[in-house]
Amino acid sequence: GNSVTQMEGPVTLSEEAFLTINCTYTATGYPSLFWYVQYPGEGLQLLLKATKADDKGSNKGFEATYRKETTSFHLEKGSVQVSDSAVYFCALTTTGNQFYFGTGTSLTVIP
Amino acid sequence: DTGVSQNPRHKITKRGQNVTFRCDPISEHNRLYWYRQTLGQGPEFLTYFQNEAQLEKSRLLSDRFSAERPKGSFSTLEIQRTEQGDSAMYLCASSLGGGAPEQYFGPGTRLTVT
């Protein structure tokens, strides 16, 4: 079946620190992979995506590379800011219809 | 384009009552999805429409749940005889479909069943 496993949080970092949030997946077929972000009191927002192996998605300084050999899609950012404090969800779809989400990783960035 | 909107944002109801939520998708999107999210978990798929046709339903969608999208625009999700276990955030999303699979989410309706 299809599933996503994310590293458990919460994660607390100082401003300008390096961020990695691990995500691995299991899928039947060839999934597209996504990172969504949920800021406090807001809905899920698409952060970045990758639709095939070795693709790199990037947005707002965040990056993630679709690694088929390790079935991973880790989220990275070189220098986090306080405004990056949010919950991050890794997700996949194989059909473009039903999405499978991880449990989310809460990030808090302190000044 | 104002994004996906959902109403109401919050709903408190007593066990056994019926509730209905509304979702207005992004206007040019022909696909609409409902998800449920409980505290500390990621969203779980409930059902999906392409235009007015309901094409997929999760096992999570019990007989007490029904969703409609009568004119292929807005959608409603009704829960009959609510139970405390129905307390959750109900999320709506929409997409263009085809080669653009990304879904755009609304702010959600938080349901509390007392």
Side-chain angles (χ1 to χ4, degrees), chain A residues 2-3 44 89-102, chain B residues 31-38 41-50 53-62 65 67 75 77 88-95 101 103 105:
Chain A
N2 297 323
S3 66
L44 287 160
F89 292 91
C90 185
L92 72 82
T93 184
T94 56
T95 63
N97 302 326
Q98 182 171 354
F99 270 48
Y100 297 84
F101 285 84
Chain B
R31 296 187 179 186
L32 187 148
Y33 312 82
W34 285 99
Y35 290 82
R36 182 172 68 188
Q37 185 179 18
T38 54
Q41 300 297 315
E44 296 174 293
F45 173 81
L46 292 178
T47 189
Y48 140 66
F49 290 84
Q50 179 158 320
Q54 188 173 18
L55 297 185
E56 198 169 335
K57 291 167 63 172
S58 163
R59 289 191 305 271
L60 292 175
L61 211 65
S62 77
F65 287 69
S75 175
L77 177 68
M89 179 76 84
Y90 289 85
L91 300 173
C92 177
S94 68
S95 76
Q103 297 180 9
F105 283 79

Short mmCIF file of all heavy atoms in Angstrom, two decimals, chain A residues 2-3 44 89-102, chain B residues 31-38 41-50 53-62 65 67 75 77 88-95 101 103 105:
data_model
loop_
_atom_site.label_atom_id
_atom_site.label_comp_id
_atom_site.label_asym_id
_atom_site.label_seq_id
_atom_site.Cartn_x
_atom_site.Cartn_y
_atom_site.Cartn_z
N ASN A 2 0.19 2.38 0.14
CA ASN A 2 0.87 3.68 0.14
C ASN A 2 0.92 4.25 1.56
O ASN A 2 -0.09 4.23 2.27
CB ASN A 2 0.11 4.66 -0.75
CG ASN A 2 0.08 4.22 -2.19
OD1 ASN A 2 1.06 3.68 -2.68
ND2 ASN A 2 -1.02 4.44 -2.87
N SER A 3 2.07 4.76 1.94
CA SER A 3 2.20 5.38 3.26
C SER A 3 3.41 6.30 3.28
O SER A 3 4.32 6.17 2.45
CB SER A 3 2.31 4.34 4.36
OG SER A 3 3.51 3.62 4.25
N LEU A 44 -3.47 24.11 5.20
CA LEU A 44 -2.29 23.53 4.56
C LEU A 44 -1.95 24.30 3.30
O LEU A 44 -2.82 24.59 2.48
CB LEU A 44 -2.55 22.08 4.19
CG LEU A 44 -2.60 21.06 5.31
CD1 LEU A 44 -3.33 19.82 4.87
CD2 LEU A 44 -1.19 20.72 5.74
N PHE A 89 4.21 18.74 6.60
CA PHE A 89 3.65 17.44 6.24
C PHE A 89 4.26 16.97 4.92
O PHE A 89 4.23 17.69 3.92
CB PHE A 89 2.13 17.51 6.06
CG PHE A 89 1.37 17.77 7.33
CD1 PHE A 89 1.07 19.06 7.71
CD2 PHE A 89 0.95 16.72 8.13
CE1 PHE A 89 0.36 19.31 8.87
CE2 PHE A 89 0.23 16.96 9.29
CZ PHE A 89 -0.06 18.26 9.66
N CYS A 90 4.74 15.75 4.92
CA CYS A 90 5.17 15.09 3.69
C CYS A 90 3.98 14.30 3.15
O CYS A 90 3.19 13.75 3.94
CB CYS A 90 6.34 14.15 4.02
SG CYS A 90 7.09 13.35 2.60
N ALA A 91 3.82 14.25 1.84
CA ALA A 91 2.66 13.58 1.26
C ALA A 91 3.01 12.97 -0.08
O ALA A 91 3.96 13.42 -0.74
CB ALA A 91 1.50 14.57 1.09
N LEU A 92 2.25 11.97 -0.48
CA LEU A 92 2.41 11.38 -1.80
C LEU A 92 1.06 11.10 -2.44
O LEU A 92 0.04 10.96 -1.76
CB LEU A 92 3.25 10.10 -1.74
CG LEU A 92 2.65 8.82 -1.12
CD1 LEU A 92 1.77 8.05 -2.11
CD2 LEU A 92 3.78 7.91 -0.65
N THR A 93 1.07 11.02 -3.74
CA THR A 93 -0.08 10.52 -4.48
C THR A 93 0.42 9.70 -5.65
O THR A 93 1.44 10.04 -6.25
CB THR A 93 -1.00 11.66 -4.97
OG1 THR A 93 -2.14 11.10 -5.61
CG2 THR A 93 -0.29 12.58 -5.94
N THR A 94 -0.27 8.63 -5.95
CA THR A 94 0.06 7.82 -7.13
C THR A 94 -0.97 8.01 -8.23
O THR A 94 -0.71 7.70 -9.38
CB THR A 94 0.14 6.33 -6.78
OG1 THR A 94 -1.09 5.93 -6.19
CG2 THR A 94 1.28 6.05 -5.82
N THR A 95 -2.14 8.51 -7.85
CA THR A 95 -3.23 8.66 -8.82
C THR A 95 -3.56 10.11 -9.13
O THR A 95 -4.31 10.39 -10.04
CB THR A 95 -4.52 8.01 -8.28
OG1 THR A 95 -4.91 8.70 -7.08
CG2 THR A 95 -4.29 6.53 -7.96
N GLY A 96 -3.03 11.03 -8.33
CA GLY A 96 -3.40 12.43 -8.46
C GLY A 96 -4.71 12.73 -7.76
O GLY A 96 -5.18 13.86 -7.79
N ASN A 97 -5.31 11.73 -7.12
CA ASN A 97 -6.56 11.92 -6.42
C ASN A 97 -6.36 11.82 -4.92
O ASN A 97 -6.28 12.81 -4.21
CB ASN A 97 -7.59 10.91 -6.90
CG ASN A 97 -7.82 11.01 -8.39
OD1 ASN A 97 -7.76 12.10 -8.95
ND2 ASN A 97 -8.04 9.89 -9.04
N GLN A 98 -6.24 10.62 -4.41
CA GLN A 98 -6.05 10.44 -2.98
C GLN A 98 -4.61 10.74 -2.59
O GLN A 98 -3.67 10.17 -3.16
CB GLN A 98 -6.40 9.01 -2.58
CG GLN A 98 -6.29 8.75 -1.10
CD GLN A 98 -6.84 7.39 -0.73
OE1 GLN A 98 -7.40 6.70 -1.57
NE2 GLN A 98 -6.71 7.02 0.52
N PHE A 99 -4.44 11.66 -1.63
CA PHE A 99 -3.13 11.95 -1.07
C PHE A 99 -2.96 11.16 0.22
O PHE A 99 -3.90 10.98 0.98
CB PHE A 99 -3.01 13.45 -0.75
CG PHE A 99 -2.49 14.28 -1.89
CD1 PHE A 99 -3.02 14.15 -3.16
CD2 PHE A 99 -1.48 15.19 -1.68
CE1 PHE A 99 -2.54 14.94 -4.21
CE2 PHE A 99 -0.99 15.98 -2.72
CZ PHE A 99 -1.52 15.85 -3.98
N TYR A 100 -1.71 10.73 0.48
CA TYR A 100 -1.37 10.08 1.73
C TYR A 100 -0.38 11.00 2.44
O TYR A 100 0.66 11.34 1.88
CB TYR A 100 -0.73 8.71 1.47
CG TYR A 100 -1.67 7.75 0.80
CD1 TYR A 100 -1.83 7.75 -0.58
CD2 TYR A 100 -2.42 6.85 1.55
CE1 TYR A 100 -2.70 6.87 -1.20
CE2 TYR A 100 -3.29 5.96 0.94
CZ TYR A 100 -3.43 5.98 -0.44
OH TYR A 100 -4.31 5.12 -1.05
N PHE A 101 -0.75 11.37 3.67
CA PHE A 101 0.06 12.32 4.43
C PHE A 101 0.79 11.62 5.57
O PHE A 101 0.28 10.66 6.16
CB PHE A 101 -0.82 13.42 5.03
CG PHE A 101 -1.29 14.44 4.05
CD1 PHE A 101 -2.42 14.21 3.28
CD2 PHE A 101 -0.61 15.63 3.89
CE1 PHE A 101 -2.87 15.16 2.37
CE2 PHE A 101 -1.04 16.58 2.99
CZ PHE A 101 -2.17 16.35 2.22
N GLY A 102 1.96 12.15 5.92
CA GLY A 102 2.61 11.77 7.14
C GLY A 102 1.91 12.44 8.32
O GLY A 102 0.97 13.22 8.16
N ARG B 31 -11.76 19.25 -9.73
CA ARG B 31 -11.69 18.16 -8.75
C ARG B 31 -11.78 18.73 -7.34
O ARG B 31 -11.20 19.78 -7.04
CB ARG B 31 -10.39 17.38 -8.92
CG ARG B 31 -10.33 16.68 -10.26
CD ARG B 31 -9.13 15.78 -10.38
NE ARG B 31 -9.11 15.10 -11.68
CZ ARG B 31 -8.24 14.16 -12.01
NH1 ARG B 31 -7.33 13.78 -11.15
NH2 ARG B 31 -8.29 13.60 -13.20
N LEU B 32 -12.50 18.01 -6.50
CA LEU B 32 -12.72 18.46 -5.11
C LEU B 32 -12.59 17.26 -4.19
O LEU B 32 -13.06 16.16 -4.51
CB LEU B 32 -14.11 19.10 -5.00
CG LEU B 32 -14.45 19.77 -3.67
CD1 LEU B 32 -15.38 20.95 -3.90
CD2 LEU B 32 -15.05 18.80 -2.68
N TYR B 33 -11.94 17.49 -3.06
CA TYR B 33 -11.60 16.42 -2.13
C TYR B 33 -12.03 16.81 -0.72
O TYR B 33 -11.95 17.97 -0.33
CB TYR B 33 -10.09 16.18 -2.12
CG TYR B 33 -9.47 16.07 -3.49
CD1 TYR B 33 -9.14 17.20 -4.22
CD2 TYR B 33 -9.19 14.83 -4.05
CE1 TYR B 33 -8.57 17.12 -5.47
CE2 TYR B 33 -8.61 14.74 -5.31
CZ TYR B 33 -8.31 15.89 -6.01
OH TYR B 33 -7.75 15.80 -7.26
N TRP B 34 -12.39 15.80 0.07
CA TRP B 34 -12.63 15.99 1.50
C TRP B 34 -11.65 15.10 2.28
O TRP B 34 -11.43 13.93 1.92
CB TRP B 34 -14.06 15.61 1.88
CG TRP B 34 -15.10 16.60 1.47
CD1 TRP B 34 -15.91 16.55 0.37
CD2 TRP B 34 -15.46 17.80 2.17
NE1 TRP B 34 -16.74 17.64 0.34
CE2 TRP B 34 -16.50 18.42 1.43
CE3 TRP B 34 -15.03 18.41 3.36
CZ2 TRP B 34 -17.10 19.62 1.84
CZ3 TRP B 34 -15.63 19.59 3.76
CH2 TRP B 34 -16.65 20.18 3.00
N TYR B 35 -11.09 15.69 3.33
CA TYR B 35 -10.18 14.98 4.23
C TYR B 35 -10.63 15.23 5.67
O TYR B 35 -11.29 16.24 5.96
CB TYR B 35 -8.74 15.50 4.09
CG TYR B 35 -8.05 15.15 2.80
CD1 TYR B 35 -8.26 15.90 1.65
CD2 TYR B 35 -7.15 14.09 2.74
CE1 TYR B 35 -7.60 15.59 0.47
CE2 TYR B 35 -6.48 13.77 1.56
CZ TYR B 35 -6.71 14.53 0.44
OH TYR B 35 -6.06 14.22 -0.73
N ARG B 36 -10.19 14.37 6.56
CA ARG B 36 -10.41 14.57 7.99
C ARG B 36 -9.04 14.55 8.68
O ARG B 36 -8.19 13.71 8.35
CB ARG B 36 -11.29 13.46 8.56
CG ARG B 36 -11.60 13.62 10.05
CD ARG B 36 -12.61 12.61 10.50
NE ARG B 36 -12.08 11.25 10.47
CZ ARG B 36 -12.82 10.17 10.67
NH1 ARG B 36 -14.12 10.29 10.90
NH2 ARG B 36 -12.27 8.98 10.66
N GLN B 37 -8.87 15.50 9.60
CA GLN B 37 -7.60 15.57 10.32
C GLN B 37 -7.88 15.63 11.81
O GLN B 37 -8.58 16.52 12.29
CB GLN B 37 -6.81 16.82 9.89
CG GLN B 37 -5.42 16.91 10.51
CD GLN B 37 -4.66 18.14 10.05
OE1 GLN B 37 -5.24 19.10 9.53
NE2 GLN B 37 -3.35 18.12 10.22
N THR B 38 -7.32 14.68 12.54
CA THR B 38 -7.42 14.71 13.99
C THR B 38 -6.12 15.22 14.58
O THR B 38 -5.08 15.25 13.90
CB THR B 38 -7.76 13.32 14.55
OG1 THR B 38 -6.80 12.38 14.04
CG2 THR B 38 -9.15 12.88 14.13
N GLN B 41 -2.24 14.32 13.82
CA GLN B 41 -2.19 13.43 12.68
C GLN B 41 -2.23 14.22 11.38
O GLN B 41 -2.62 15.39 11.35
CB GLN B 41 -3.38 12.46 12.70
CG GLN B 41 -3.43 11.58 13.93
CD GLN B 41 -2.22 10.66 14.02
OE1 GLN B 41 -1.82 10.05 13.03
NE2 GLN B 41 -1.62 10.58 15.20
N GLY B 42 -1.84 13.57 10.30
CA GLY B 42 -1.99 14.18 9.00
C GLY B 42 -3.40 13.98 8.48
O GLY B 42 -4.17 13.17 9.00
N PRO B 43 -3.78 14.73 7.46
CA PRO B 43 -5.10 14.57 6.87
C PRO B 43 -5.30 13.15 6.32
O PRO B 43 -4.38 12.55 5.78
CB PRO B 43 -5.11 15.59 5.73
CG PRO B 43 -4.08 16.60 6.11
CD PRO B 43 -3.02 15.83 6.83
N GLU B 44 -6.53 12.65 6.47
CA GLU B 44 -6.91 11.34 5.94
C GLU B 44 -8.00 11.53 4.90
O GLU B 44 -9.00 12.19 5.15
CB GLU B 44 -7.43 10.42 7.05
CG GLU B 44 -6.40 10.09 8.11
CD GLU B 44 -7.03 9.31 9.25
OE1 GLU B 44 -7.87 9.89 9.96
OE2 GLU B 44 -6.69 8.13 9.41
N PHE B 45 -7.81 10.92 3.76
CA PHE B 45 -8.72 11.05 2.63
C PHE B 45 -10.09 10.48 2.97
O PHE B 45 -10.21 9.39 3.53
CB PHE B 45 -8.12 10.32 1.44
CG PHE B 45 -9.01 10.22 0.24
CD1 PHE B 45 -9.13 11.29 -0.64
CD2 PHE B 45 -9.72 9.06 -0.02
CE1 PHE B 45 -9.94 11.19 -1.76
CE2 PHE B 45 -10.53 8.96 -1.13
CZ PHE B 45 -10.65 10.03 -2.01
N LEU B 46 -11.14 11.23 2.58
CA LEU B 46 -12.50 10.75 2.75
C LEU B 46 -13.17 10.44 1.41
O LEU B 46 -13.70 9.35 1.20
CB LEU B 46 -13.36 11.79 3.49
CG LEU B 46 -13.00 12.04 4.95
CD1 LEU B 46 -13.90 13.14 5.52
CD2 LEU B 46 -13.11 10.77 5.77
N THR B 47 -13.15 11.43 0.50
CA THR B 47 -13.84 11.24 -0.77
C THR B 47 -13.37 12.27 -1.78
O THR B 47 -12.71 13.26 -1.43
CB THR B 47 -15.36 11.33 -0.59
OG1 THR B 47 -16.02 10.93 -1.80
CG2 THR B 47 -15.80 12.76 -0.24
N TYR B 48 -13.72 12.04 -3.06
CA TYR B 48 -13.22 12.87 -4.14
C TYR B 48 -14.27 12.98 -5.24
O TYR B 48 -14.95 12.00 -5.56
CB TYR B 48 -11.91 12.26 -4.63
CG TYR B 48 -11.64 12.25 -6.12
CD1 TYR B 48 -11.46 13.42 -6.82
CD2 TYR B 48 -11.53 11.03 -6.80
CE1 TYR B 48 -11.19 13.40 -8.17
CE2 TYR B 48 -11.27 11.02 -8.15
CZ TYR B 48 -11.09 12.20 -8.83
OH TYR B 48 -10.82 12.16 -10.17
N PHE B 49 -14.41 14.16 -5.79
CA PHE B 49 -15.33 14.43 -6.90
C PHE B 49 -14.55 14.92 -8.11
O PHE B 49 -13.61 15.71 -7.99
CB PHE B 49 -16.32 15.55 -6.53
CG PHE B 49 -17.33 15.16 -5.49
CD1 PHE B 49 -17.01 15.24 -4.14
CD2 PHE B 49 -18.59 14.73 -5.85
CE1 PHE B 49 -17.94 14.89 -3.17
CE2 PHE B 49 -19.52 14.39 -4.89
CZ PHE B 49 -19.19 14.47 -3.55
N GLN B 50 -14.98 14.48 -9.27
CA GLN B 50 -14.57 15.14 -10.51
C GLN B 50 -15.84 15.72 -11.11
O GLN B 50 -16.76 14.97 -11.46
CB GLN B 50 -13.91 14.18 -11.49
CG GLN B 50 -13.52 14.88 -12.78
CD GLN B 50 -12.43 14.18 -13.53
OE1 GLN B 50 -11.47 13.68 -12.95
NE2 GLN B 50 -12.57 14.13 -14.84
N ALA B 53 -19.47 14.23 -10.22
CA ALA B 53 -19.42 12.79 -9.97
C ALA B 53 -18.50 12.46 -8.79
O ALA B 53 -17.33 12.86 -8.78
CB ALA B 53 -18.94 12.08 -11.22
N GLN B 54 -19.04 11.69 -7.84
CA GLN B 54 -18.24 11.23 -6.71
C GLN B 54 -17.55 9.94 -7.16
O GLN B 54 -18.20 8.89 -7.32
CB GLN B 54 -19.12 10.98 -5.49
CG GLN B 54 -18.36 10.67 -4.23
CD GLN B 54 -19.26 10.59 -3.00
OE1 GLN B 54 -20.47 10.44 -3.12
NE2 GLN B 54 -18.68 10.68 -1.81
N LEU B 55 -16.24 9.99 -7.34
CA LEU B 55 -15.51 8.90 -7.97
C LEU B 55 -14.82 7.96 -7.00
O LEU B 55 -14.46 6.84 -7.38
CB LEU B 55 -14.50 9.45 -8.97
CG LEU B 55 -15.07 10.22 -10.15
CD1 LEU B 55 -13.97 10.60 -11.12
CD2 LEU B 55 -16.15 9.40 -10.86
N GLU B 56 -14.59 8.40 -5.78
CA GLU B 56 -13.85 7.57 -4.85
C GLU B 56 -14.28 7.89 -3.43
O GLU B 56 -14.50 9.05 -3.09
CB GLU B 56 -12.35 7.83 -5.01
CG GLU B 56 -11.44 6.77 -4.44
CD GLU B 56 -9.99 6.98 -4.88
OE1 GLU B 56 -9.76 7.59 -5.94
OE2 GLU B 56 -9.10 6.54 -4.14
N LYS B 57 -14.43 6.84 -2.63
CA LYS B 57 -14.81 7.00 -1.23
C LYS B 57 -13.93 6.12 -0.37
O LYS B 57 -13.71 4.95 -0.69
CB LYS B 57 -16.28 6.61 -1.01
CG LYS B 57 -17.27 7.56 -1.65
CD LYS B 57 -18.68 7.00 -1.69
CE LYS B 57 -19.24 6.76 -0.32
NZ LYS B 57 -20.67 6.38 -0.38
N SER B 58 -13.45 6.66 0.74
CA SER B 58 -12.63 5.90 1.67
C SER B 58 -13.50 5.02 2.55
O SER B 58 -14.68 5.30 2.78
CB SER B 58 -11.83 6.88 2.53
OG SER B 58 -11.31 6.26 3.68
N ARG B 59 -12.87 3.99 3.08
CA ARG B 59 -13.56 3.15 4.09
C ARG B 59 -13.90 3.97 5.33
O ARG B 59 -14.77 3.59 6.12
CB ARG B 59 -12.67 1.98 4.49
CG ARG B 59 -12.51 0.93 3.42
CD ARG B 59 -11.84 -0.30 4.02
NE ARG B 59 -10.58 0.03 4.67
CZ ARG B 59 -9.41 0.02 4.03
NH1 ARG B 59 -9.36 -0.27 2.75
NH2 ARG B 59 -8.30 0.33 4.67
N LEU B 60 -13.19 5.11 5.51
CA LEU B 60 -13.47 5.96 6.66
C LEU B 60 -14.84 6.62 6.57
O LEU B 60 -15.40 7.06 7.57
CB LEU B 60 -12.41 7.08 6.76
CG LEU B 60 -10.99 6.67 7.10
CD1 LEU B 60 -10.08 7.88 7.02
CD2 LEU B 60 -10.92 6.03 8.48
N LEU B 61 -15.37 6.69 5.37
CA LEU B 61 -16.64 7.37 5.14
C LEU B 61 -17.78 6.40 5.43
O LEU B 61 -18.23 5.68 4.55
CB LEU B 61 -16.70 7.87 3.69
CG LEU B 61 -17.50 9.15 3.44
CD1 LEU B 61 -16.86 10.32 4.12
CD2 LEU B 61 -17.62 9.39 1.94
N SER B 62 -18.23 6.43 6.70
CA SER B 62 -19.29 5.50 7.09
C SER B 62 -20.61 5.93 6.47
O SER B 62 -20.72 6.98 5.83
CB SER B 62 -19.42 5.47 8.61
OG SER B 62 -20.09 6.62 9.07
N PHE B 65 -22.06 9.44 6.81
CA PHE B 65 -21.44 10.55 6.08
C PHE B 65 -21.96 10.54 4.64
O PHE B 65 -22.02 9.49 3.99
CB PHE B 65 -19.92 10.40 6.03
CG PHE B 65 -19.22 10.67 7.33
CD1 PHE B 65 -19.37 9.82 8.41
CD2 PHE B 65 -18.39 11.77 7.47
CE1 PHE B 65 -18.71 10.06 9.61
CE2 PHE B 65 -17.73 12.02 8.66
CZ PHE B 65 -17.89 11.17 9.73
N ALA B 67 -21.61 13.09 0.97
CA ALA B 67 -21.07 14.28 0.33
C ALA B 67 -21.73 14.44 -1.03
O ALA B 67 -22.06 13.46 -1.70
CB ALA B 67 -19.56 14.16 0.18
N SER B 75 -19.38 22.05 -2.73
CA SER B 75 -19.70 20.72 -2.22
C SER B 75 -20.17 20.84 -0.77
O SER B 75 -19.82 21.79 -0.07
CB SER B 75 -18.47 19.82 -2.28
OG SER B 75 -18.72 18.55 -1.68
N LEU B 77 -20.67 18.40 2.85
CA LEU B 77 -20.41 17.16 3.58
C LEU B 77 -21.35 17.14 4.76
O LEU B 77 -21.34 18.05 5.59
CB LEU B 77 -18.96 17.10 4.05
CG LEU B 77 -18.57 15.88 4.89
CD1 LEU B 77 -18.59 14.62 4.05
CD2 LEU B 77 -17.18 16.06 5.51
N ALA B 88 -13.21 16.48 14.83
CA ALA B 88 -12.00 16.56 14.00
C ALA B 88 -12.05 17.85 13.20
O ALA B 88 -13.03 18.59 13.25
CB ALA B 88 -11.93 15.38 13.03
N MET B 89 -10.98 18.09 12.45
CA MET B 89 -10.97 19.16 11.46
C MET B 89 -11.31 18.53 10.11
O MET B 89 -10.70 17.54 9.73
CB MET B 89 -9.59 19.81 11.39
CG MET B 89 -9.49 20.92 10.36
SD MET B 89 -10.28 22.42 10.91
CE MET B 89 -8.96 23.14 11.88
N TYR B 90 -12.29 19.08 9.43
CA TYR B 90 -12.68 18.58 8.11
C TYR B 90 -12.14 19.54 7.06
O TYR B 90 -12.50 20.72 7.04
CB TYR B 90 -14.19 18.40 8.03
CG TYR B 90 -14.63 17.24 8.89
CD1 TYR B 90 -14.87 17.41 10.25
CD2 TYR B 90 -14.72 15.95 8.36
CE1 TYR B 90 -15.21 16.34 11.06
CE2 TYR B 90 -15.07 14.87 9.16
CZ TYR B 90 -15.30 15.07 10.52
OH TYR B 90 -15.63 14.01 11.32
N LEU B 91 -11.29 19.01 6.21
CA LEU B 91 -10.59 19.82 5.22
C LEU B 91 -11.13 19.55 3.82
O LEU B 91 -11.43 18.40 3.47
CB LEU B 91 -9.10 19.49 5.22
CG LEU B 91 -8.34 19.71 6.52
CD1 LEU B 91 -6.92 19.17 6.41
CD2 LEU B 91 -8.31 21.18 6.87
N CYS B 92 -11.22 20.59 3.05
CA CYS B 92 -11.60 20.49 1.65
C CYS B 92 -10.41 20.95 0.81
O CYS B 92 -9.67 21.86 1.22
CB CYS B 92 -12.80 21.37 1.38
SG CYS B 92 -13.33 21.42 -0.33
N ALA B 93 -10.21 20.31 -0.31
CA ALA B 93 -9.15 20.71 -1.23
C ALA B 93 -9.68 20.65 -2.65
O ALA B 93 -10.67 19.96 -2.93
CB ALA B 93 -7.94 19.79 -1.07
N SER B 94 -9.02 21.36 -3.56
CA SER B 94 -9.41 21.27 -4.96
C SER B 94 -8.15 21.24 -5.82
O SER B 94 -7.06 21.62 -5.37
CB SER B 94 -10.31 22.43 -5.37
OG SER B 94 -9.63 23.68 -5.36
N SER B 95 -8.31 20.75 -7.04
CA SER B 95 -7.19 20.69 -7.97
C SER B 95 -7.69 20.74 -9.40
O SER B 95 -8.85 20.49 -9.68
CB SER B 95 -6.37 19.41 -7.74
OG SER B 95 -7.05 18.28 -8.28
N PRO B 101 -1.13 17.47 -10.23
CA PRO B 101 -1.81 16.78 -9.14
C PRO B 101 -1.91 17.56 -7.85
O PRO B 101 -2.65 17.15 -6.95
CB PRO B 101 -0.93 15.54 -8.93
CG PRO B 101 0.43 15.99 -9.32
CD PRO B 101 0.22 16.94 -10.46
N GLN B 103 -2.86 19.62 -4.75
CA GLN B 103 -4.15 20.02 -4.21
C GLN B 103 -4.00 21.26 -3.37
O GLN B 103 -3.00 21.43 -2.68
CB GLN B 103 -4.75 18.87 -3.37
CG GLN B 103 -5.02 17.63 -4.20
CD GLN B 103 -5.60 16.49 -3.40
OE1 GLN B 103 -5.98 16.64 -2.25
NE2 GLN B 103 -5.71 15.32 -4.03
N PHE B 105 -5.68 23.52 -0.37
CA PHE B 105 -6.56 23.26 0.76
C PHE B 105 -7.24 24.53 1.28
O PHE B 105 -6.66 25.62 1.25
CB PHE B 105 -5.75 22.64 1.90
CG PHE B 105 -5.44 21.20 1.69
CD1 PHE B 105 -4.42 20.80 0.86
CD2 PHE B 105 -6.21 20.21 2.31
CE1 PHE B 105 -4.15 19.45 0.64
CE2 PHE B 105 -5.94 18.87 2.11
CZ PHE B 105 -4.91 18.50 1.26
#
